Amino acid sequence: MKKIVFALLLPILVVASGYTVQAAGFKDVPEDHYAYEAILWAEEYDIVNGYADGTFKPNATITEQQFAKLLANFYELESPYDELKKQTPLANWSDEFYNRLASYGVPLNGYFDNNIRGANVKRGVVAQAISHLVNGKSGLDQSIQFLLDYYISTGQNLQYENRNLQKFFGVSNNMTRAQVVTMLHRMDERNFYEISDYAQKIHENMSNASLNTRAKNGQNQLDKTMQLTTPSNSAWNGTYSYYYKWGTGSTDFNRRDAYISNATSKSFTIFITANDGTAAGSVDGTATITSNTKAVMNKSSNGNRCVLEFERLNNALKITEVDCRKEHDEGTNFTGTLKKQ
């Protein structure tokens, strides 16, 4: 059995005298509990521990960011070179794990919003995330069927068996501690550690897509009924991309990616990357909105002169660089029309 060496997902609770529960069992998990063996396995390999009062709380829910940590470490996903640009810019303990999952295009909701990360994760999201990494790009029904076929899950609502797959699985129900460790235990038993070719190709990133673009594509892969979005009162907010392959060589391409967040009636935060094969650069800063469809940025967050003009088109963003030479390689600029993703 492969020993999984990642840290405790949920806090280890310590009693006043300072010791941590190291029991071979939990008083709220009897031997006839469906997850009994999986919970003992999870404790043995430090996947998740019990509480100081001798309980495991198998029915307690977990958040998406807690699930993200489990998933990234279970599959030992590699870290990307860049980091996500979030709509909620404050650093969060889960940033590392979402960066790794975004690199593989894993379907999740919370890439750009710390608040969504802290919400309870739904069973349907878990099904698509796992299936993506093990089985490749999968719709909700296909993901559920994969888990059922390999007995990673047995479903929840027997009255819908062979009648309604999603209701049988319970896609809209919150995920619990017992359910998570049961799935991981069964994946461990079946040696489901190899990453799917589809997810691996996203990570290898031959198309030079930004991490934000790969994360957005992962979000979009989620079934519409499973998607959560951050409410926005501005049409500026969003991810915009342009890619053109003009030759057969590995550097024969042009790419532009822009991510706008924190838009108000007066300004927005902008992060842009430009890559023209061998020359690349990036810039971020704050743009001032000058009309319903136009905005301008005069300097970067580094304090350098960087004049960029923005025009919001129908489902697209036009960027014109006036002077931003200190922010990128010679021969590369940020000019272009990018499609909203």
Side-chain angles (χ1 to χ4, degrees):
M1 179 183 293
K2 178 179 179 181
K3 184 173 182 179
I4 304 170
V5 287
F6 51 94
L8 172 65
L9 169 65
L10 300 175
I12 300 175
L13 302 185
V14 181
V15 294
S17 60
Y19 73 87
T20 303
V21 172
Q22 297 294 338
F26 303 99
K27 61 186 180 183
D28 59 344
V29 185
E31 291 187 8
D32 61 353
H33 191 282
Y34 79 91
Y36 179 76
E37 292 185 5
I39 290 171
L40 293 186
W41 167 83
E43 183 192 27
E44 179 182 358
Y45 290 103
D46 293 326
I47 296 172
V48 63
N49 289 84
Y51 293 85
D53 61 359
T55 64
F56 181 78
K57 295 180 173 48
N59 296 324
T61 58
I62 67 169
T63 64
E64 188 185 90
Q65 61 190 352
Q66 292 167 340
F67 172 68
K69 180 178 180 179
L70 276 176
L71 200 60
N73 285 332
F74 184 87
Y75 286 106
E76 300 178 349
L77 301 182
E78 297 178 353
S79 298
Y81 292 110
D82 49 349
E83 298 179 350
L84 289 168
K85 297 295 180 179
K86 301 183 296 181
Q87 290 175 269
T88 50
L90 290 179
N92 183 277
W93 66 263
S94 63
D95 287 344
E96 171 195 350
F97 308 107
Y98 277 95
N99 289 341
R100 289 159 63 185
L101 291 160
S103 180
Y104 291 81
V106 177
L108 288 172
N109 278 305
Y111 286 116
F112 308 116
D113 192 316
N114 291 340
N115 297 315
I116 292 179
R117 293 182 183 187
N120 290 330
V121 66
K122 304 299 183 182
R123 287 171 56 84
V125 173
V126 170
Q128 285 198 256
I130 291 175
S131 183
H132 174 92
L133 283 171
V134 181
N135 198 42
K137 185 175 182 179
S138 308
L140 181 56
D141 286 354
Q142 185 181 359
S143 299
I144 295 169
Q145 196 62 58
F146 171 80
L147 297 182
L148 296 176
D149 288 345
Y150 287 93
Y151 196 64
I152 297 171
S153 175
T154 57
Q156 278 196 325
N157 305 307
L158 294 179
Q159 67 271 29
Y160 292 108
E161 189 173 11
N162 299 321
R163 294 174 51 203
N164 187 310
L165 183 64
Q166 294 187 18
K167 289 184 178 181
F168 171 65
F169 183 75
V171 294
S172 297
N173 296 338
N174 294 330
M175 201 74 186
T176 69
R177 284 163 56 88
Q179 292 165 2
V180 168
V181 298
T182 297
M183 286 187 178
L184 293 179
H185 184 222
R186 290 172 178 171
M187 287 191 291
D188 177 79
E189 290 180 325
R190 291 153 181 76
N191 295 315
F192 277 127
Y193 297 111
E194 186 174 349
I195 302 298
S196 69
D197 290 341
Y198 180 76
Q200 186 62 38
K201 287 180 180 178
I202 295 175
H203 176 64
E204 292 170 358
N205 197 25
M206 298 302 292
S207 64
N208 294 286
S210 70
L211 193 63
N212 271 46
T213 296
R214 284 178 279 168
K216 187 64 178 178
N217 290 340
Q219 280 185 332
N220 291 338
Q221 189 177 315
L222 284 172
D223 189 84
K224 295 294 185 184
T225 61
M226 293 290 101
Q227 292 182 15
L228 300 176
T229 57
T230 304
S232 172
N233 57 2
S234 174
W236 286 97
N237 279 339
T239 299
Y240 304 81
S241 295
Y242 167 81
Y243 178 72
Y244 174 62
K245 180 73 173 173
W246 48 267
T248 58
S250 61
T251 61
D252 297 342
F253 69 90
N254 303 104
R255 183 167 196 103
R256 303 287 183 273
D257 292 283
Y259 183 66
I260 293 178
S261 60
N262 304 316
T264 67
S265 60
K266 297 181 179 180
S267 65
F268 56 76
T269 301
I270 178 76
F271 173 76
I272 315 171
T273 61
N275 192 328
D276 288 337
T278 59
S282 64
V283 66
D284 63 280
T286 300
T288 300
I289 297 174
T290 57
S291 72
N292 288 337
T293 59
K294 294 186 177 182
V296 63
M297 185 178 83
N298 293 310
K299 66 178 181 179
S300 72
S301 61
N302 295 326
N304 294 325
R305 174 177 169 81
C306 184
V307 181
L308 296 171
E309 298 175 348
F310 305 96
E311 183 177 1
R312 182 167 54 81
L313 307 175
N314 184 22
N315 206 36
L317 178 70
K318 182 179 179 181
I319 303 175
T320 303
E321 176 182 329
V322 178
D323 179 13
C324 209
R325 288 169 291 180
K326 291 185 178 181
E327 292 291 342
H328 57 72
D329 291 350
E330 186 176 354
T332 303
N333 59 44
F334 301 107
T335 298
T337 298
L338 289 61
K339 185 178 180 181
K340 193 169 187 178
Q341 301 302 298

